[in-house]
Structures are given as C-alpha cells and as structure tokens.
Amino acid sequence: MTPPLILGLESSCDDTAAAVLRGRDVLSSVVLGQTQLHADFGGVVPEIAARAHAERLDGAIVQAVKESGTSLQEIDAIAVTAGPGLIGGVLSGVMMAKGLAAGLNKPMIGVNHLAGHALTPRLTDDLAYPYLMLLVSGGHCQFLIVRGVEDFTRLGGTIDDAPGEAFDKTARLLGLPQPGGPSVEAAAKKGDEKRFRFPRPLLDRPGCDLSFSGLKTALLRQRDQIIADQGGLTEQDRNDLCAGFQAAVRDVLVEKTRRAITAYLDEHPSDPALAVAGGVAANMALRDGLETVCATSNIRFTAPPLALCTDNAAMIAYAGSELLALGKTSDMTLSARPRWPLDQNAKPLIGSGKKGAKA
C-alpha cells in the first residue's frame, strides 16, 4: 500500500516550519527562522515569536506543498506540534492544523515535539526499537530509551539549564552573537581548552541527571577575574574560555552517556544503538566524544543530518505517520501544551518549576 501523505507543522519555539512526507520520503521541508527578529534581545522573545508564527505559517505551508509537487487536496492527514514549547507559538500551529483539518475534512494528529526529535532516527536511519536517545537542544536535555512511538523511559535529564541554553548564555556573557552554540564552537576551535579548568557538574553523583547552570556561573566568575586582572578580555581570552566551557559540557555529556548506555544494555537489545538529536547535536566536539563512547561500548552511533537535528516539521510529520498507523488521531479538543513529558511515569526533575515537568 502507498504510505499516506502527511503535512507536518512545527511552531514550538522560533522556527516556523512545514513539511510534506510520504513514508520515509521527505518531499519538502521548509523552515523559516526568526534569528534576526530576536537578535537585539539576546534570546527568543515569546511574544515576537508567536506573532511571527501567526504571520508565516500559511506561507510556509504553501511553499512546502508547492515544493513537494503535491496539493492540499492530496494530503491524507495533518500532524502538528501540540507541545511542549512557547504557548503562543504552539497555539498558532494547533489552530492552523484545526482549520486545515476541518476545511479539508482530513484527520489531525497532535504530536509531542520531543517525540518528533526522538523518532527522527527512525525517519533517517530506519532504527529499530528499542534504542537509546540523547536529546540535546536549546530547551531540553534527556536520555531516553525509545521503545515505541508513545513508549519512552527517561534515564536522566538536566535539572536546570539545557546545554543549548548554557551555550546561548555563555555567548552573551562573552559578547558573541546569537545563536550561541555555533558562535561558542567557532571560538573554541581557536582556543586552548586546558587553560581554564571548569567544573564537571554531577559527575561525583550516580545516575544520568545533568546540570549546566553552575558551569555557566563558573565561566562568569572566570571572565570577571580576567577583566579585573587586566582591564578587559582579549580575543584569545574569549577563545580559551569557550574552549574550556565546551570541553566541560562535552566531558559531562560523554560520561553521562556512558552511564546511560550501561543501563540501556541491561535490556539486551539485539541491535544496540545510540542516537543523538537536537540542535546541540551539531557540535562536532560533542559528536566526536559520543562516537568514541559508542565505539568503546560496541554499539551503533547515529546522528541525523543537521537540518533534521534542529526544529523542523519533517520530524513532526513522521511521528504523526507512526501514530496514524496505530489509528491514533486527535479531535477538535486538541490543546496547546506548554509542558508535556515524554515519560509520564518519571518523577519531575529538580528545577522543573511549580507547574510540573516540562519535558
């Protein structure tokens, strides 16, 4: 049978995205970024992001359908990010999906944004369940055993800042442009990671939980000490600070990944694999470290192409297709959710806030 034609919509943060997918064939993937809109603010402004989504979603859909060589009338179902994320952006996508579903008389599937990331290796590499996933991005960081489209076990996660958030804050502290991840990585390539020895948080404790807030504070104090000693920062100081910071993040993630692999292998998977996804997965120093751990543990390492690591609608369309295959669709009561943990049975992480676990 011909796989259904799925239109995917993604608007959980600062990327307005639409994609058309059939099976594992991505027929089109359109991502309209908002970097310039938020550049003067040092981070994403939720109200600006929500307005941009409302203004751009229809154009992204028209472009995605046109590039796919299909038509809206041929679409079999609409998959949309229903959370977690910035509520204004998520709401824009959900309302657009409802309008399309009603107008086209097609089924709609609400998708967890994190499930989209977690299932991307099945889209790109046809990875078999169960596999280990390191989801590492601007807003999230967690280790998951992925057993099915709605079956996730969280082995650990960040109790405060996500790595991408820490990279962004580091860039701001050092006067580097946003987004911070690429800026810090570029500077780190020219720096000496051994000049400044930053802490490796939580390595002295068992388990797979992570913390990056204290690492950012340590960098702030080192920066201030340099300024106090010599009256300012040189370019080499910035490069060395970035290199030391990146090395600390890498070392923490590598060691915690080693522990997660041990727990995952207790399930005796026949074809063990670690997948990494999310924007921070583009960091080559991190990838190299993870590949080394996997080689040592004799398990497969996979990372989707960068365009499918960062926020996109193709991953939402694919997750929607797996849900649709199980007969799981959403009705017009579908709500936008700012918080939506993948592992419903896991205890909220420390620092998850009064409203509960975000991821």
Side-chain angles (χ1 to χ4, degrees):
M1 293 179 61
T2 302
L5 194 65
I6 309 292
L7 171 65
L9 306 179
E10 156 60 23
S11 57
S12 65
C13 190
D14 62 336
D15 286 316
T16 306
V20 178
L21 179 143
R22 190 187 295 279
R24 288 187 170 85
D25 292 329
V26 179
L27 304 183
S28 66
S29 181
V30 174
V31 180
L32 306 179
Q34 301 179 8
T35 301
Q36 293 305 313
L37 296 178
H38 304 279
D40 293 338
F41 303 97
V44 177
V45 180
E47 176 63 20
I48 293 175
R51 286 179 177 270
H53 288 309
E55 293 170 357
R56 296 177 174 184
L57 264 169
D58 55 352
I61 293 167
V62 170
Q63 184 179 344
V65 171
K66 181 178 180 180
E67 291 182 4
S68 73
T70 64
S71 67
L72 274 178
Q73 287 68 33
E74 295 175 76
I75 297 296
D76 293 307
I78 298 102
V80 60
T81 295
L86 301 177
I87 190 62
V90 177
L91 185 60
S92 295
V94 168
M95 295 306 293
M96 176 64 76
K98 287 183 177 182
L100 287 170
L104 297 171
N105 193 27
K106 301 293 184 180
M108 174 179 63
I109 308 110
V111 174
N112 186 310
H113 172 81
L114 302 178
H117 279 303
L119 295 175
T120 298
R122 288 182 51 77
L123 166 63
T124 58
D125 296 274
D126 195 15
L127 213 57
Y129 297 125
Y131 56 89
L132 180 64
M133 162 62 66
L134 170 56
L135 175 55
V136 55
S137 68
H140 309 283
C141 184
Q142 52 190 302
F143 293 99
L144 299 161
I145 296 179
V146 184
R147 299 189 183 89
V149 64
E150 293 183 301
D151 189 355
F152 305 92
T153 297
R154 191 186 71 211
L155 299 177
T158 179
I159 64 174
D160 42 53
D161 289 356
E165 185 180 1
F167 271 97
D168 286 344
K169 290 178 179 178
T170 292
R172 286 199 291 273
L173 289 173
L174 298 178
L176 296 172
Q178 297 291 324
S183 297
V184 171
E185 183 179 12
K189 289 179 180 177
K190 299 176 285 187
D192 178 6
E193 68 175 52
K194 297 181 179 179
R195 179 180 171 190
F196 302 110
R197 175 69 182 181
F198 292 115
R200 272 60 173 167
L202 299 189
L203 288 191
D204 59 339
R205 302 182 192 178
C208 299
D209 286 343
L210 306 114
S211 169
F212 296 103
S213 180
L215 178 56
K216 172 204 63 186
T217 302
L219 181 135
L220 170 63
R221 290 175 176 168
Q222 185 64 68
R223 181 206 68 176
D224 289 348
Q225 185 62 55
I226 296 171
I227 293 174
D229 291 343
Q230 61 189 39
L233 288 178
T234 66
E235 182 177 355
Q236 191 59 50
D237 291 332
R238 285 190 178 88
N239 295 341
D240 293 343
L241 286 167
C242 286
F245 169 82
Q246 179 177 267
V249 173
R250 177 201 64 210
D251 291 351
V252 169
L253 284 170
V254 164
E255 174 54 31
K256 295 293 184 171
T257 298
R258 195 187 317 276
R259 299 179 189 181
I261 288 173
T262 299
Y264 162 64
L265 290 178
D266 286 342
E267 295 202 0
H268 307 293
S270 59
D271 184 19
L274 167 70
V276 59
V280 181
N283 185 286
M284 294 310 299
L286 172 59
R287 282 203 189 200
D288 290 345
L290 295 176
E291 287 190 64
T292 300
V293 172
C294 287
T296 302
S297 303
N298 197 29
I299 75 169
R300 178 181 174 187
F301 173 81
T302 182
L306 177 58
L308 294 177
C309 278
T310 52
D311 289 351
N312 66 90
M315 68 180 189
I316 302 303
Y318 179 76
S321 72
E322 285 216 17
L323 288 166
L324 185 64
L326 297 176
K328 298 190 176 184
T329 59
S330 306
D331 58 26
M332 288 298 167
T333 64
L334 179 67
S335 299
R337 303 173 63 171
R339 297 170 183 267
W340 190 357
L342 281 178
D343 185 348
Q344 299 290 324
N345 298 316
K347 294 181 179 179
L349 291 164
I350 299 172
S352 62
K354 294 181 179 179
K355 294 183 180 179
K358 181 178 181 182

mmCIF file of all heavy atoms in Angstrom, residues 48 72 82 100 106 115 127 189 233 238 262 269 274-275 287 308 323 357:
data_model
loop_
_atom_site.group_PDB
_atom_site.id
_atom_site.type_symbol
_atom_site.label_atom_id
_atom_site.label_comp_id
_atom_site.label_asym_id
_atom_site.label_seq_id
_atom_site.Cartn_x
_atom_site.Cartn_y
_atom_site.Cartn_z
ATOM 1 N N ILE A 48 7.147 37.990 20.343
ATOM 2 C CA ILE A 48 7.616 38.200 18.965
ATOM 3 C C ILE A 48 7.547 36.889 18.187
ATOM 4 O O ILE A 48 7.117 36.859 17.027
ATOM 5 C CB ILE A 48 9.046 38.761 18.966
ATOM 6 C CG1 ILE A 48 9.066 40.176 19.555
ATOM 7 C CG2 ILE A 48 9.635 38.764 17.560
ATOM 8 C CD1 ILE A 48 10.454 40.773 19.701
ATOM 9 N N LEU A 72 -2.839 20.456 -1.560
ATOM 10 C CA LEU A 72 -3.500 20.296 -0.271
ATOM 11 C C LEU A 72 -4.589 19.231 -0.341
ATOM 12 O O LEU A 72 -4.818 18.490 0.621
ATOM 13 C CB LEU A 72 -4.114 21.628 0.183
ATOM 14 C CG LEU A 72 -3.195 22.594 0.933
ATOM 15 C CD1 LEU A 72 -3.935 23.883 1.269
ATOM 16 C CD2 LEU A 72 -2.643 21.963 2.215
ATOM 17 N N ALA A 82 1.872 19.893 19.271
ATOM 18 C CA ALA A 82 0.897 20.366 20.253
ATOM 19 C C ALA A 82 1.548 20.677 21.593
ATOM 20 O O ALA A 82 0.877 20.974 22.568
ATOM 21 C CB ALA A 82 -0.207 19.322 20.429
ATOM 22 N N LEU A 100 -7.151 23.573 8.849
ATOM 23 C CA LEU A 100 -6.889 22.732 7.685
ATOM 24 C C LEU A 100 -7.658 21.412 7.756
ATOM 25 O O LEU A 100 -8.226 20.954 6.758
ATOM 26 C CB LEU A 100 -5.388 22.451 7.572
ATOM 27 C CG LEU A 100 -4.504 23.611 7.122
ATOM 28 C CD1 LEU A 100 -3.031 23.239 7.293
ATOM 29 C CD2 LEU A 100 -4.794 23.983 5.678
ATOM 30 N N LYS A 106 -9.862 16.178 6.772
ATOM 31 C CA LYS A 106 -8.784 15.211 6.939
ATOM 32 C C LYS A 106 -8.481 15.029 8.427
ATOM 33 O O LYS A 106 -8.717 15.924 9.236
ATOM 34 C CB LYS A 106 -7.506 15.683 6.223
ATOM 35 C CG LYS A 106 -7.679 15.911 4.722
ATOM 36 C CD LYS A 106 -7.935 14.619 3.973
ATOM 37 C CE LYS A 106 -8.011 14.890 2.472
ATOM 38 N NZ LYS A 106 -8.260 13.647 1.706
ATOM 39 N N ALA A 115 8.907 13.966 21.006
ATOM 40 C CA ALA A 115 8.785 12.685 20.307
ATOM 41 C C ALA A 115 9.238 12.830 18.861
ATOM 42 O O ALA A 115 9.830 11.905 18.284
ATOM 43 C CB ALA A 115 7.343 12.193 20.367
ATOM 44 N N LEU A 127 15.896 3.103 12.296
ATOM 45 C CA LEU A 127 16.405 2.473 13.514
ATOM 46 C C LEU A 127 15.307 1.640 14.164
ATOM 47 O O LEU A 127 14.160 2.071 14.273
ATOM 48 C CB LEU A 127 16.883 3.568 14.483
ATOM 49 C CG LEU A 127 18.066 3.253 15.384
ATOM 50 C CD1 LEU A 127 19.282 2.853 14.567
ATOM 51 C CD2 LEU A 127 18.403 4.476 16.252
ATOM 52 N N LYS A 189 37.313 26.457 18.674
ATOM 53 C CA LYS A 189 38.263 25.839 17.747
ATOM 54 C C LYS A 189 39.596 26.583 17.737
ATOM 55 O O LYS A 189 40.634 26.014 17.385
ATOM 56 C CB LYS A 189 37.673 25.816 16.336
ATOM 57 C CG LYS A 189 36.535 24.828 16.166
ATOM 58 C CD LYS A 189 35.968 24.871 14.759
ATOM 59 C CE LYS A 189 34.815 23.886 14.589
ATOM 60 N NZ LYS A 189 34.206 23.965 13.236
ATOM 61 N N LEU A 233 38.961 41.750 28.134
ATOM 62 C CA LEU A 233 39.169 40.441 27.534
ATOM 63 C C LEU A 233 39.800 40.588 26.158
ATOM 64 O O LEU A 233 39.357 41.395 25.343
ATOM 65 C CB LEU A 233 37.830 39.708 27.358
ATOM 66 C CG LEU A 233 37.102 39.161 28.584
ATOM 67 C CD1 LEU A 233 35.785 38.537 28.141
ATOM 68 C CD2 LEU A 233 37.944 38.146 29.328
ATOM 69 N N ARG A 238 38.709 35.055 25.087
ATOM 70 C CA ARG A 238 37.371 34.565 24.724
ATOM 71 C C ARG A 238 37.449 33.160 24.128
ATOM 72 O O ARG A 238 36.660 32.281 24.471
ATOM 73 C CB ARG A 238 36.707 35.515 23.725
ATOM 74 C CG ARG A 238 36.182 36.803 24.315
ATOM 75 C CD ARG A 238 35.321 37.555 23.293
ATOM 76 N NE ARG A 238 34.763 38.767 23.867
ATOM 77 C CZ ARG A 238 35.363 39.943 23.876
ATOM 78 N NH1 ARG A 238 36.566 40.065 23.307
ATOM 79 N NH2 ARG A 238 34.795 40.987 24.430
ATOM 80 N N THR A 262 25.105 1.854 29.750
ATOM 81 C CA THR A 262 25.133 0.697 30.651
ATOM 82 C C THR A 262 23.722 0.285 31.049
ATOM 83 O O THR A 262 23.369 -0.903 31.023
ATOM 84 C CB THR A 262 25.963 1.011 31.904
ATOM 85 O OG1 THR A 262 27.312 1.313 31.523
ATOM 86 C CG2 THR A 262 25.963 -0.161 32.868
ATOM 87 N N PRO A 269 19.247 -5.353 23.991
ATOM 88 C CA PRO A 269 18.724 -5.130 22.631
ATOM 89 C C PRO A 269 19.567 -5.895 21.612
ATOM 90 O O PRO A 269 20.785 -6.009 21.745
ATOM 91 C CB PRO A 269 18.857 -3.611 22.435
ATOM 92 C CG PRO A 269 19.948 -3.206 23.392
ATOM 93 C CD PRO A 269 19.810 -4.114 24.568
ATOM 94 N N LEU A 274 22.824 4.115 19.813
ATOM 95 C CA LEU A 274 22.635 5.416 20.434
ATOM 96 C C LEU A 274 22.385 6.426 19.326
ATOM 97 O O LEU A 274 23.155 6.503 18.366
ATOM 98 C CB LEU A 274 23.871 5.846 21.237
ATOM 99 C CG LEU A 274 23.891 7.333 21.663
ATOM 100 C CD1 LEU A 274 22.833 7.599 22.734
ATOM 101 C CD2 LEU A 274 25.275 7.756 22.162
ATOM 102 N N ALA A 275 21.322 7.181 19.461
ATOM 103 C CA ALA A 275 21.029 8.264 18.529
ATOM 104 C C ALA A 275 21.083 9.577 19.283
ATOM 105 O O ALA A 275 20.719 9.650 20.457
ATOM 106 C CB ALA A 275 19.653 8.068 17.902
ATOM 107 N N ARG A 287 29.931 15.385 19.216
ATOM 108 C CA ARG A 287 29.732 14.195 18.375
ATOM 109 C C ARG A 287 30.940 13.269 18.443
ATOM 110 O O ARG A 287 30.803 12.050 18.544
ATOM 111 C CB ARG A 287 29.480 14.598 16.926
ATOM 112 C CG ARG A 287 28.075 15.086 16.644
ATOM 113 C CD ARG A 287 27.754 14.929 15.172
ATOM 114 N NE ARG A 287 26.504 15.562 14.826
ATOM 115 C CZ ARG A 287 25.806 15.265 13.734
ATOM 116 N NH1 ARG A 287 26.259 14.358 12.894
ATOM 117 N NH2 ARG A 287 24.667 15.872 13.459
ATOM 118 N N LEU A 308 17.734 18.053 10.129
ATOM 119 C CA LEU A 308 16.718 17.293 10.849
ATOM 120 C C LEU A 308 17.042 17.157 12.330
ATOM 121 O O LEU A 308 16.272 16.539 13.081
ATOM 122 C CB LEU A 308 16.540 15.913 10.220
ATOM 123 C CG LEU A 308 15.973 15.906 8.798
ATOM 124 C CD1 LEU A 308 15.908 14.482 8.254
ATOM 125 C CD2 LEU A 308 14.603 16.565 8.745
ATOM 126 N N LEU A 323 1.899 7.478 14.505
ATOM 127 C CA LEU A 323 0.673 7.499 15.314
ATOM 128 C C LEU A 323 -0.537 7.144 14.455
ATOM 129 O O LEU A 323 -1.423 6.392 14.883
ATOM 130 C CB LEU A 323 0.494 8.879 15.945
ATOM 131 C CG LEU A 323 1.454 9.229 17.091
ATOM 132 C CD1 LEU A 323 1.411 10.718 17.397
ATOM 133 C CD2 LEU A 323 1.097 8.414 18.339
ATOM 134 N N ALA A 357 6.773 19.095 35.337
ATOM 135 C CA ALA A 357 7.855 18.787 34.418
ATOM 136 C C ALA A 357 7.535 19.307 33.031
ATOM 137 O O ALA A 357 6.436 19.158 32.515
ATOM 138 C CB ALA A 357 8.096 17.286 34.371
#
